[in-house]
Amino acid sequence: DFAAVVSEDHQADEPLVLMCAEGSLAKGAAAVLEAAGFKRVSTLDGGLRAWEAAAEEEGAGVPPLVIDEDGEGGLTGAWV
């Protein structure tokens, strides 16, 4: 159960930001957490692909994503 796993490490009133490649899976996961009583859940609109596109725009002020050797990536500490 996703909500049970998250609740092992996070309190229901703690702010959480969920991310996935395009944003749709994160929105579904956020709905599950909200239904389980998590109160401060947000998602990254458009997902990591939107972040990456914004980072490529000159002067956008968005830092690039970091990709690990295993092809995974994102932001340090972002994964549950």
Side-chain angles (χ1 to χ4, degrees):
D1 179 45
F2 176 64
V5 171
V6 173
S7 67
E8 290 176 7
D9 294 317
H10 301 280
Q11 300 297 314
D13 60 349
E14 182 179 343
L16 299 172
V17 179
L18 306 181
M19 297 175 249
C20 67
E22 295 180 359
S24 57
L25 292 175
K27 286 182 182 182
V32 169
L33 292 178
E34 289 167 350
F38 285 83
K39 297 169 182 53
R40 300 174 64 192
V41 181
S42 301
T43 60
L44 178 63
D45 287 339
L48 294 171
R49 292 182 203 266
W51 181 303
E52 187 175 42
E56 292 175 358
E57 292 180 24
E58 186 94 17
V62 177
L65 295 173
V66 176
I67 304 299
D68 298 336
E69 309 82 46
D70 62 1
E72 297 294 322
L75 307 171
T76 302
W79 315 116
V80 172

